[in-house]
Amino acid sequence: MPMNSYITNALSDFFFKYETPRQVLVRNRRVGVVCRLIQLGVLAYIIGWVFIYEKGYQSTDTAVSSVFTKMKGVGYTNVDGEERVWDMVDYVFPEQGDSSFVVMTNYIITKGQKMGKCPELTEPRYLCNSDSDCERGIIERTGHGHMTGKCVGNTTKTCEVVAWCPVEDDHAIPDPALLMSAENYTLFIKNSVTFPAYGVKRSNLVEGIDNQYIKSCVYDPTTSPLCPIFRLGDLVQLSGFNFATIAKVGGAIGIVIDWTCNLDYDQSECKPVYTFHGLYGNPNEIDMARASVGYNFRYAKHYMEDKQEKRTLLKVFGIRFDIIVRSVARKFDIIPTLTAIGSGVGIFGVATVVCDLILLYLLPKREFYNNMKFKVTETVEQVSLSF
Amino acid sequence: MPMNSYITNALSDFFFKYETPRQVLVRNRRVGVVCRLIQLGVLAYIIGWVFIYEKGYQSTDTAVSSVFTKMKGVGYTNVDGEERVWDMVDYVFPEQGDSSFVVMTNYIITKGQKMGKCPELTEPRYLCNSDSDCERGIIERTGHGHMTGKCVGNTTKTCEVVAWCPVEDDHAIPDPALLMSAENYTLFIKNSVTFPAYGVKRSNLVEGIDNQYIKSCVYDPTTSPLCPIFRLGDLVQLSGFNFATIAKVGGAIGIVIDWTCNLDYDQSECKPVYTFHGLYGNPNEIDMARASVGYNFRYAKHYMEDKQEKRTLLKVFGIRFDIIVRSVARKFDIIPTLTAIGSGVGIFGVATVVCDLILLYLLPKREFYNNMKFKVTETVEQVSLSF
Amino acid sequence: MPMNSYITNALSDFFFKYETPRQVLVRNRRVGVVCRLIQLGVLAYIIGWVFIYEKGYQSTDTAVSSVFTKMKGVGYTNVDGEERVWDMVDYVFPEQGDSSFVVMTNYIITKGQKMGKCPELTEPRYLCNSDSDCERGIIERTGHGHMTGKCVGNTTKTCEVVAWCPVEDDHAIPDPALLMSAENYTLFIKNSVTFPAYGVKRSNLVEGIDNQYIKSCVYDPTTSPLCPIFRLGDLVQLSGFNFATIAKVGGAIGIVIDWTCNLDYDQSECKPVYTFHGLYGNPNEIDMARASVGYNFRYAKHYMEDKQEKRTLLKVFGIRFDIIVRSVARKFDIIPTLTAIGSGVGIFGVATVVCDLILLYLLPKREFYNNMKFKVTETVEQVSLSF
């Protein structure tokens, strides 16, 4: 056949025909009801769960997020008659308002350390009787300095070290915590989220929050859930901790800002939800065997005195705050919708298979239905006869 | 039947048979063309959108990322005849090159504060006439210290506090900003990304960037989009801010490094794209009612003078930079490909359903096609007669 | 027909009927075996790969994570007879235990800088012969200060600047690194992860780790893979770096804590795996042309001397640690299971299509099978005759 006619025939064969599967229509009440119920059940699952509950018709995006913080409040101590005030410059580490910071609630202070030689602490591992017990040049794993090889001291002798002297003695943690006044500090959180896929920008200073509101509001989960000012005592309580305990040895609290937004609605409905989590177990029950209770670090203020470099060492116990932003925005999108429909049709096919099984293997008249459903082919000769 | 024969029969029944659905081949031009067009449309959607546009044949992975920064540049101020230079040690917080840092552009300095008693600021809430107006022991929510209970002062009397004295007066923000010279500082960003699922490591110092290039290049979105050195004035402008305004009260800028890589191509095509976003609204329009404009924090340098602990307090206004890495790498993977095909077949089934509906309910000859498609079963007796 | 009867008829038509596709049962050994093998292959792929290997029956969630660190250890230097010890307060930046920090291993110290006028470094770009070579008010891109316009010096003349004087000369990097003793420092990592979707909280201090264990264990990939204490020298070695080289110019190491948990098993099986990655290339091969080798930043300690503000500048070379948490938890969920089944059914349909193609186009008896499978419809008249 000439090429033209061949192509024309092929095209008309393709375009002008349509195949549709032949089907057996079974009029049986029991089978009909059972199978329709199975099909309706599958349909209800697809529409109800996949589409409505799990929102299978929407695409999702996570946010690019930025968090700034600011502490306000003043602490007051009166130790050995020395009155002292601690403002945010003194008790927040680091100072520039990161999403992760520590508020000092207790401390052990060692003033006026200078580089020199002095005895180690009177702990079992540093005890000695003579110089031979102290090996020169050794640095103990958790020691304070570089051993000189001498054994010094009067009543209790310990190895001498080159270190910042006098060596810090951190056995006695002040109880109650020195800065219990931290309970009244306030934390201001400013959080900006952007969902790039949808071009949506939101801030936790939602519509209705202005300078006047911020000056006086305090966060409360029921009465003012959108106020971005949090009282420290409330934060600790909402995390399940006891303030006195966490203030003494320190602890860690996670503040999760959750943005779950359905962008098929108005943008102003996209608001943050704050939740508070104690991290690393509950320091209310101080189990001395448990590993690593509390939170602390060391910090020093350097200065010169009489042309000598000196420092004041602080072992800081405090509450570590980690502000974590969780975000998911959903919006109607044709792709996940059609994918869900496609999978749904596939699952519907399973319903058909189940009903077929009932029809072909379980019913009394199954032989009959088998014959209706299947046309068996034997050899060509046999079939041509019965055809 | 013996077990052997039973199993053999079952196996041969399973392996030596094959079921294929019987179909009606409808030769009708209109139906044929319409249904073929629907089927071609669905096929075009599956191939065009799901596979090519949305890359449904590829799996995705996000990167493990690390960012280091370094500021270079020197600022110069001449305040009250005092010449002073500010280098990166003076104006970057924190100093170690994090992905989130502040560049100081303006400040209010309170020198030589020491712990003691002094009057609060002359603000309405601190004003008093006599000692009874000042309650001892109170710490105001945004106060500077711990009230002593006295009312002090000459013309204007305010409550006395234990605080770092003299108390900071931050009403007058220097205008223009003291460190406008910050416009010429340069920021160097080093970013490493690893896609663990594909074992691919990339750095923003791509092929072609060496020490010589870095010494002289400056980022420009069109002429040098891969140069990792950014001029601060350019960053501010690209974010949509005005430098003079943001320098005075501070502000926040997000630098997003976007890695969208198709790893089916050569790795060297995987390059970063930098975009710049002003966070928290536009400080060009300073609306005094709007909440929390600008960016600032407080910072102190401690020192000893005459055996007294003193500090110099700075209220720092600056530009906060948050460098955020967004990453998605795609590579051909058999699983998502087959899943997409599977869903596609399902959607194709919908096309068949639609055409069946047209065939069985809308066409003139639908009764005829109904008969062709369906074989109706009645009772066994009825069927045996017609069979 | 009255409405009631119409609705009743429609409902009974819907509920009491059931359609099942008619099928041709082909008894042909070759076709049967081939098609069954294809179908079994598809089934094996769906069950084996999609369900078992890729865990398609489970939903996934990523963790909300928090990381705290603590360095312990003491460094020792003896420079020009000056013995000095460096403890964690001296060598860790920042001090509060973030997930990203630097451990100083080498430094260039410039003591007693004070604000004033002094000559720039003797580098080619600062050299001059007379005052006209130095433009007043200029700040060089990588300069140290603000040019005064004078050309000063004896043998080699350079432009004078207002800067922190004397200007830092950072050409000679100490070799070997001054703090090689950093090799013996230890790093303690505390990491808490929460999978909010499943309400599961885990910590890297897994069951079996208590205070006693922590006091003496050291991480080893084979013998103690769960010990959260890491020796710095080991970390460097496991990242593929050479300690002497990385200590001299600095470098960056990523510690990835990987939580891959199957929550269908007991929670105690959910344990972290630590891996170590050198970031930014290997400083073992110092290629001077390569861009930006090593890691350093500048840091200053301010003090007052004779009523003059002074500072000691340190150019810090160190190892930057970035602790990154990767997490994925999986748990059986009905939705992804049914979605995978649905897609699987769709793919199964492809197997049927392939077999049909073999049957209808490749076999010798294909004409015969074509007739079996398809019932062709012509015009109404033709069909009524053959029906």
Side-chain angles (χ1 to χ4, degrees):
Chain A
M1 218 188 312
M3 185 56 80
N4 271 359
S5 327
Y6 187 75
I7 296 174
T8 318
N9 270 1
L11 281 177
S12 79
D13 267 357
F14 179 73
F15 269 102
F16 297 150
K17 281 191 297 194
Y18 168 67
E19 306 123 2
T20 176
R22 298 181 72 185
Q23 301 198 314
V24 175
L25 200 62
V26 176
R27 283 193 199 279
N28 178 306
R29 289 197 172 195
R30 252 177 303 169
V31 172
V33 169
V34 168
C35 290
R36 285 298 180 212
L37 284 177
I38 292 178
Q39 286 177 344
L40 283 173
V42 170
L43 199 72
Y45 160 76
I46 294 169
I47 293 177
W49 202 313
V50 176
F51 273 80
I52 295 177
Y53 186 74
E54 292 267 336
K55 304 202 185 319
Y57 59 95
Q58 290 178 317
S59 63
T60 65
D61 189 28
T62 50
V64 166
S65 145
S66 207
V67 172
F68 306 152
T69 59
K70 190 178 245 201
M71 291 292 304
K72 270 198 181 350
V74 163
Y76 172 80
T77 56
N78 196 330
V79 176
D80 304 329
E82 181 189 339
E83 273 191 317
R84 205 201 143 102
V85 136
W86 303 77
D87 60 13
M88 80 287 294
V89 185
D90 294 322
Y91 63 67
V92 177
F93 304 84
E95 58 269 351
Q96 65 267 12
D98 281 350
S99 60
S100 187
F101 59 95
V102 184
V103 173
M104 176 165 70
T105 55
N106 201 6
Y107 58 89
I108 294 171
I109 194 166
T110 314
K111 293 189 182 180
Q113 285 188 325
K114 62 181 191 271
M115 190 62 59
K117 296 177 183 161
C118 48
E120 259 285 16
L121 295 179
T122 52
E123 281 177 10
R125 50 201 167 130
Y126 305 131
L127 292 176
C128 61
N129 288 317
S130 68
D131 287 357
S132 52
D133 294 328
C134 305
E135 193 179 334
R136 180 184 164 83
I138 284 293
I139 297 176
E140 285 278 333
R141 173 158 146 161
T142 49
H144 294 95
H146 184 263
M147 290 204 188
T148 58
K150 294 209 202 119
C151 180
V152 293
N154 299 327
T155 346
T156 321
K157 290 184 154 203
T158 54
C159 290
E160 188 188 50
V161 282
V162 174
W164 287 97
C165 295
V167 155
E168 178 202 52
D169 184 354
D170 61 341
H171 287 109
I173 303 176
D175 191 3
L178 291 168
L179 288 166
M180 285 293 288
S181 39
E183 212 167 356
N184 289 315
Y185 297 165
T186 55
L187 164 65
F188 167 48
I189 301 178
K190 202 156 80 168
N191 171 222
S192 145
V193 290
T194 306
F195 294 101
Y198 311 125
V200 168
K201 261 192 184 181
R202 295 292 290 162
S203 154
N204 72 325
L205 307 178
V206 295
E207 293 79 9
I209 294 184
D210 57 10
N211 262 341
Q212 275 305 111
Y213 182 64
I214 282 183
K215 279 203 168 94
S216 57
C217 79
V218 176
Y219 173 87
D220 181 274
T222 39
T223 58
S224 42
L226 291 169
C227 174
I229 313 264
F230 304 79
R231 187 178 158 272
L232 236 72
D234 298 345
L235 285 174
V236 169
Q237 188 192 349
L238 288 163
S239 315
F241 285 142
N242 167 274
F243 193 86
T245 320
I246 201 180
K248 179 188 164 189
V249 293
I253 287 174
I255 302 176
V256 177
I257 308 180
D258 189 284
W259 293 86
T260 302
C261 293
N262 187 338
L263 295 176
D264 288 334
Y265 298 127
D266 191 64
Q267 266 192 42
S268 60
E269 309 250 340
C270 185
K271 294 180 187 176
V273 174
Y274 303 94
T275 47
F276 313 92
H277 309 268
L279 303 172
Y280 303 109
N282 193 338
N284 290 339
E285 320 128 15
I286 294 191
D287 178 2
M288 293 316 286
R290 266 196 73 233
S292 186
V293 171
Y295 183 82
N296 67 75
F297 64 93
R298 287 178 179 79
Y299 162 68
K301 285 184 282 192
H302 291 262
Y303 60 95
M304 297 292 277
E305 198 173 62
D306 308 324
K307 302 225 177 289
Q308 167 113 55
E309 186 182 356
K310 284 189 166 180
R311 77 178 197 188
T312 294
L313 179 69
L314 266 100
K315 180 170 182 177
V316 176
F317 298 86
I319 307 175
R320 161 97 173 221
F321 290 96
D322 275 327
I323 297 169
I324 302 156
V325 178
R326 300 266 293 177
S327 60
V328 59
R330 302 175 189 276
K331 201 166 182 181
F332 170 78
D333 189 11
I334 193 74
I335 300 274
T337 306
L338 289 178
T339 305
I341 291 176
S343 296
V345 170
I347 300 164
F348 220 79
V350 174
T352 305
V353 167
V354 169
C355 281
D356 269 3
L357 287 173
I358 298 176
L359 195 67
L360 300 173
Y361 292 104
L362 294 177
L363 287 187
K365 300 203 196 89
R366 55 185 175 280
E367 280 264 353
F368 169 64
Y369 293 120
N370 257 292
N371 289 333
M372 287 272 88
K373 188 171 162 71
F374 291 107
K375 192 171 193 81
V376 181
T377 72
E378 302 292 350
T379 65
V380 175
E381 302 80 30
Q382 276 181 294
V383 172
S384 54
L385 283 171
S386 53
F387 193 46
Chain B
M1 217 188 312
M3 184 58 77
N4 271 359
S5 327
Y6 187 76
I7 295 174
T8 317
N9 269 1
L11 280 176
S12 77
D13 266 358
F14 180 71
F15 268 103
F16 297 151
K17 282 191 298 194
Y18 168 67
E19 305 120 4
T20 177
R22 296 182 73 185
Q23 300 200 315
V24 175
L25 200 61
V26 177
R27 282 194 198 278
N28 178 308
R29 290 199 171 193
R30 252 176 304 166
V31 173
V33 168
V34 168
C35 289
R36 286 299 182 211
L37 284 177
I38 293 178
Q39 287 177 343
L40 283 174
V42 171
L43 199 71
Y45 160 77
I46 293 169
I47 293 176
W49 201 313
V50 176
F51 273 80
I52 296 177
Y53 186 75
E54 293 266 338
K55 303 201 185 320
Y57 59 96
Q58 291 178 317
S59 63
T60 66
D61 189 27
T62 51
V64 165
S65 145
S66 209
V67 172
F68 307 153
T69 58
K70 190 178 246 200
M71 290 292 305
K72 270 196 181 340
V74 163
Y76 173 82
T77 56
N78 196 330
V79 176
D80 304 328
E82 181 189 339
E83 272 190 319
R84 205 204 142 102
V85 136
W86 302 77
D87 60 12
M88 80 287 293
V89 185
D90 294 321
Y91 62 68
V92 177
F93 302 86
E95 57 269 351
Q96 65 267 12
D98 281 350
S99 60
S100 188
F101 59 95
V102 184
V103 174
M104 176 164 70
T105 54
N106 201 7
Y107 59 88
I108 294 171
I109 194 165
T110 314
K111 294 191 182 180
Q113 284 187 326
K114 62 181 191 270
M115 190 63 58
K117 294 176 183 163
C118 49
E120 258 285 16
L121 295 181
T122 52
E123 280 178 10
R125 47 200 169 131
Y126 305 130
L127 293 176
C128 61
N129 289 317
S130 68
D131 287 358
S132 54
D133 294 330
C134 304
E135 192 178 336
R136 180 185 164 82
I138 284 294
I139 297 176
E140 284 279 334
R141 171 160 149 159
T142 50
H144 295 95
H146 183 262
M147 290 204 187
T148 57
K150 293 208 201 121
C151 181
V152 293
N154 299 327
T155 344
T156 321
K157 288 183 155 202
T158 54
C159 290
E160 187 187 51
V161 282
V162 175
W164 287 97
C165 296
V167 154
E168 178 202 53
D169 184 353
D170 62 341
H171 287 111
I173 303 176
D175 192 3
L178 291 169
L179 287 164
M180 285 294 288
S181 38
E183 212 167 356
N184 288 315
Y185 296 166
T186 56
L187 163 66
F188 168 49
I189 300 177
K190 202 156 81 169
N191 170 222
S192 144
V193 290
T194 305
F195 294 103
Y198 311 126
V200 168
K201 259 191 184 184
R202 295 293 291 161
S203 155
N204 73 324
L205 307 178
V206 295
E207 294 78 9
I209 294 184
D210 57 11
N211 262 341
Q212 275 305 110
Y213 182 65
I214 282 184
K215 277 203 169 92
S216 57
C217 80
V218 177
Y219 173 87
D220 182 274
T222 38
T223 58
S224 42
L226 290 168
C227 174
I229 313 264
F230 305 79
R231 187 179 158 273
L232 236 72
D234 298 345
L235 285 174
V236 169
Q237 188 191 349
L238 288 163
S239 316
F241 285 142
N242 167 275
F243 194 86
T245 321
I246 202 180
K248 179 188 164 188
V249 293
I253 287 174
I255 301 176
V256 176
I257 308 180
D258 189 283
W259 292 87
T260 302
C261 293
N262 187 339
L263 294 176
D264 288 334
Y265 298 127
D266 190 65
Q267 266 191 41
S268 60
E269 309 251 341
C270 184
K271 295 180 187 176
V273 173
Y274 302 96
T275 48
F276 312 92
H277 308 268
L279 304 171
Y280 304 110
N282 193 340
N284 289 339
E285 322 128 16
I286 294 190
D287 178 1
M288 293 316 286
R290 265 195 75 233
S292 186
V293 172
Y295 184 82
N296 67 74
F297 65 92
R298 287 179 180 80
Y299 162 68
K301 287 185 280 192
H302 291 262
Y303 59 96
M304 297 292 279
E305 199 174 62
D306 309 321
K307 302 222 176 293
Q308 168 114 55
E309 186 182 357
K310 284 189 167 181
R311 77 178 195 186
T312 295
L313 179 70
L314 265 99
K315 181 170 182 178
V316 175
F317 298 85
I319 307 174
R320 162 96 174 221
F321 290 97
D322 275 328
I323 297 169
I324 303 157
V325 177
R326 302 266 293 175
S327 59
V328 58
R330 303 175 189 275
K331 200 166 184 180
F332 169 78
D333 188 9
I334 193 75
I335 301 271
T337 306
L338 289 178
T339 305
I341 290 176
S343 296
V345 170
I347 300 163
F348 220 79
V350 175
T352 303
V353 168
V354 169
C355 280
D356 269 4
L357 288 173
I358 299 175
L359 196 66
L360 300 174
Y361 293 104
L362 295 178
L363 286 187
K365 300 202 198 85
R366 55 186 176 278
E367 279 265 353
F368 168 67
Y369 293 119
N370 257 292
N371 289 333
M372 285 273 91
K373 188 169 161 71
F374 291 107
K375 193 173 193 76
V376 179
T377 72
E378 303 292 348
T379 66
V380 174
E381 301 79 32
Q382 276 183 291
V383 173
S384 55
L385 283 173
S386 54
F387 193 45
Chain C
M1 218 187 316
M3 184 57 78
N4 271 359
S5 327
Y6 187 75
I7 295 174
T8 318
N9 269 0
L11 280 176
S12 79
D13 267 358
F14 179 72
F15 268 102
F16 297 150
K17 282 192 298 195
Y18 168 66
E19 305 122 4
T20 176
R22 300 183 71 183
Q23 300 198 315
V24 175
L25 201 61
V26 177
R27 281 194 199 278
N28 178 308
R29 288 197 172 196
R30 253 177 302 166
V31 173
V33 169
V34 168
C35 290
R36 285 300 181 211
L37 284 177
I38 293 178
Q39 287 176 343
L40 283 173
V42 171
L43 199 72
Y45 160 77
I46 293 169
I47 293 178
W49 202 315
V50 176
F51 273 80
I52 295 177
Y53 185 74
E54 291 268 337
K55 304 202 186 317
Y57 59 94
Q58 290 178 318
S59 64
T60 65
D61 188 28
T62 50
V64 165
S65 145
S66 207
V67 172
F68 308 153
T69 58
K70 190 179 245 200
M71 289 293 304
K72 270 198 180 347
V74 164
Y76 173 80
T77 56
N78 196 332
V79 177
D80 304 327
E82 181 189 339
E83 272 190 319
R84 204 203 144 102
V85 135
W86 303 76
D87 60 12
M88 80 287 293
V89 184
D90 294 321
Y91 63 68
V92 177
F93 304 84
E95 58 269 351
Q96 66 267 14
D98 281 350
S99 61
S100 188
F101 59 95
V102 183
V103 173
M104 177 165 69
T105 55
N106 201 6
Y107 59 88
I108 294 171
I109 194 165
T110 313
K111 294 189 182 181
Q113 283 188 325
K114 62 181 191 270
M115 191 62 58
K117 295 176 183 164
C118 49
E120 258 286 16
L121 295 180
T122 52
E123 280 178 12
R125 48 200 168 130
Y126 305 131
L127 293 176
C128 61
N129 290 317
S130 67
D131 286 356
S132 52
D133 293 330
C134 304
E135 192 178 336
R136 179 183 165 83
I138 284 294
I139 297 176
E140 286 277 334
R141 172 158 147 163
T142 50
H144 294 95
H146 184 262
M147 289 204 189
T148 57
K150 294 210 202 117
C151 181
V152 293
N154 299 326
T155 347
T156 322
K157 290 184 155 203
T158 55
C159 291
E160 187 188 49
V161 282
V162 175
W164 287 98
C165 295
V167 154
E168 178 202 54
D169 184 355
D170 62 340
H171 286 110
I173 303 176
D175 192 2
L178 290 168
L179 288 165
M180 284 294 288
S181 40
E183 212 167 355
N184 288 315
Y185 298 165
T186 55
L187 164 66
F188 168 49
I189 301 177
K190 202 156 80 168
N191 170 222
S192 146
V193 290
T194 306
F195 294 102
Y198 310 125
V200 167
K201 261 193 186 181
R202 295 292 292 161
S203 156
N204 73 324
L205 306 178
V206 296
E207 293 79 8
I209 294 184
D210 57 10
N211 262 340
Q212 275 305 110
Y213 182 64
I214 282 184
K215 278 204 167 91
S216 57
C217 79
V218 177
Y219 173 87
D220 181 274
T222 38
T223 58
S224 41
L226 291 168
C227 173
I229 313 263
F230 304 79
R231 187 179 158 271
L232 237 71
D234 298 345
L235 285 174
V236 169
Q237 188 191 351
L238 288 163
S239 316
F241 285 142
N242 167 275
F243 193 85
T245 320
I246 202 180
K248 179 186 163 189
V249 291
I253 287 174
I255 301 176
V256 177
I257 308 180
D258 190 284
W259 293 86
T260 302
C261 292
N262 187 339
L263 295 177
D264 288 334
Y265 298 127
D266 191 64
Q267 268 192 40
S268 61
E269 308 251 339
C270 185
K271 294 179 187 178
V273 174
Y274 303 94
T275 48
F276 313 92
H277 308 268
L279 303 172
Y280 303 110
N282 193 340
N284 290 337
E285 321 129 15
I286 294 192
D287 178 1
M288 293 316 286
R290 266 195 73 234
S292 186
V293 171
Y295 183 82
N296 67 75
F297 65 93
R298 287 179 179 80
Y299 162 69
K301 287 184 280 192
H302 291 262
Y303 59 95
M304 297 292 279
E305 199 173 61
D306 308 323
K307 303 229 177 286
Q308 169 114 52
E309 186 183 356
K310 283 189 167 179
R311 76 178 196 186
T312 294
L313 179 69
L314 265 101
K315 181 170 181 177
V316 176
F317 298 85
I319 306 175
R320 161 97 173 220
F321 290 97
D322 276 329
I323 297 169
I324 302 157
V325 177
R326 301 266 292 176
S327 59
V328 59
R330 302 174 190 276
K331 201 167 183 181
F332 170 77
D333 189 11
I334 193 76
I335 301 273
T337 306
L338 290 178
T339 305
I341 291 176
S343 296
V345 170
I347 300 163
F348 220 79
V350 174
T352 304
V353 168
V354 169
C355 280
D356 269 2
L357 287 174
I358 298 176
L359 195 67
L360 300 174
Y361 293 104
L362 293 178
L363 286 186
K365 299 204 198 90
R366 55 186 176 280
E367 280 265 350
F368 168 65
Y369 292 120
N370 257 292
N371 288 334
M372 287 272 90
K373 188 169 161 71
F374 290 106
K375 193 173 195 76
V376 180
T377 72
E378 303 293 347
T379 66
V380 175
E381 301 78 32
Q382 275 181 295
V383 172
S384 57
L385 283 172
S386 54
F387 192 44

